[in-house]
Amino acid sequence: DGGITQSPKYLFRKEGQNVTLSCEQNLNHDAMYWYRQDPGQGLRLIYYSQIVNDFQKGDIAEGYSVSREKKESFPLTVTSAQKNPTAFYLCASSFGQGLSSEQYFGPGTRLTVT
Amino acid sequence: QQQVKQSPQSLIVQKGGISIINCAYENTAFDYFPWYQQFPGKGPALLIAIRPDVSEKKEGRFTISFNKSAKQFSLHIMDSQPGDSATYFCAAPRDGNKLVFGAGTILRVKS
């Protein structure tokens, strides 16, 4: 059954702690993305990766880090430097460059930092 | 930077009515415009997409209309049902295979 999985669904952390969100896909997609969703603001791009061992900052990368050691995995670390980390985080993937850039999303991780 | 303006923010429609959501985009060299549907607590799901070599694309009760000269595209949901109640996002391509999303429209279909 192909798709994108994110874990955990809910995550609670204390302020000042780093936390890593998991994203795995078995769609054989080259490109992967991380978005942050806040009420009324749509989806904002945090980081993206078009190939293994390469990734680029999106629009709101400050306070976040990623790695892309395997094609199917793109974990996101929310560091203590992120000023307002509580949000709904979405991972997506697509086949890659070009016009056929349909992105498929995972179910999301809701992070609450207190 | 490419931006997409989506309206309205929220929409209430009677069951059986037509829901219309509009989006406007800026200049782009790429031609792919998807719509996503998101239910509470879930990830967005690709609903329908259009490439502007056509002005309209229909899939079941969902239709995208595209006006390239006006840089606008819209989603029409015919015979709206309570199960269509969700948040809808339009998107437009930006530099490569990235997308920029509209702010979303919360649709409520009253039974």
Side-chain angles (χ1 to χ4, degrees):
Chain A
D1 205 15
I4 303 174
T5 57
Q6 291 185 244
S7 60
K9 188 173 176 65
Y10 299 97
L11 193 53
F12 298 89
R13 279 294 182 269
K14 295 289 187 185
E15 200 173 303
Q17 293 179 334
N18 291 356
V19 59
T20 297
L21 282 60
S22 168
C23 177
E24 304 276 332
Q25 55 97 1
N26 61 2
L27 300 168
N28 199 32
H29 285 171
D30 292 310
M32 297 186 74
Y33 313 80
W34 273 105
Y35 292 90
R36 170 183 172 134
Q37 185 174 25
D38 297 283
Q41 293 197 45
L43 284 70
R44 293 184 290 166
L45 183 64
I46 303 172
Y47 266 98
Y48 65 102
S49 168
Q50 297 184 2
I51 55 172
V52 174
N53 292 323
D54 187 48
F55 48 82
Q56 288 80 39
K57 292 181 180 179
D59 302 313
I60 55 166
E62 185 176 349
Y64 300 97
S65 65
V66 294
S67 63
R68 186 86 187 275
E69 297 176 1
K70 300 186 295 182
K71 185 176 184 178
E72 56 271 19
S73 178
F74 191 41
L76 172 75
T77 297
V78 184
T79 75
S80 56
Q82 167 50 231
K83 290 182 171 50
N84 185 19
T86 294
F88 190 46
Y89 290 89
L90 289 158
C91 178
S93 69
S94 71
F95 273 112
Q97 297 202 37
L99 298 181
S100 298
S101 54
E102 293 179 358
Q103 293 187 18
Y104 297 87
F105 284 84
T109 292
R110 186 166 296 281
L111 173 65
T112 302
V113 177
T114 58
Chain B
Q1 179 179 315
Q2 172 80 286
Q3 290 199 24
V4 174
K5 294 183 180 178
Q6 184 173 345
S7 63
Q9 271 189 312
S10 63
L11 182 60
I12 300 175
V13 173
Q14 287 292 130
K15 179 181 175 181
I18 303 173
S19 304
I20 302 174
I21 304 170
N22 300 298
C23 283
Y25 66 99
E26 297 172 354
N27 291 324
T28 179
F30 301 95
D31 295 324
Y32 168 73
F33 298 90
W35 283 89
Y36 286 84
Q37 179 189 55
Q38 184 181 31
F39 294 104
K42 307 292 185 184
L46 182 64
L47 183 64
I48 185 173
I50 194 169
R51 302 189 190 283
D53 49 350
V54 296
S55 59
E56 186 174 283
K57 181 174 181 180
K58 185 176 181 179
E59 290 185 1
R61 295 184 293 108
F62 300 92
T63 300
I64 298 180
S65 298
F66 190 84
N67 185 332
K68 192 169 185 176
S69 61
K71 297 191 180 74
Q72 294 178 345
F73 57 111
S74 60
L75 175 69
H76 291 63
I77 306 175
M78 313 300 287
D79 187 26
S80 299
Q81 298 296 312
D84 297 330
S85 297
T87 300
Y88 293 82
F89 294 96
C90 62
R94 53 181 277 206
D95 51 297
N97 57 332
K98 301 197 296 292
L99 293 173
V100 59
F101 288 84
T105 296
I106 301 172
L107 171 65
R108 179 180 162 212
V109 180
K110 295 173 68 173
S111 55

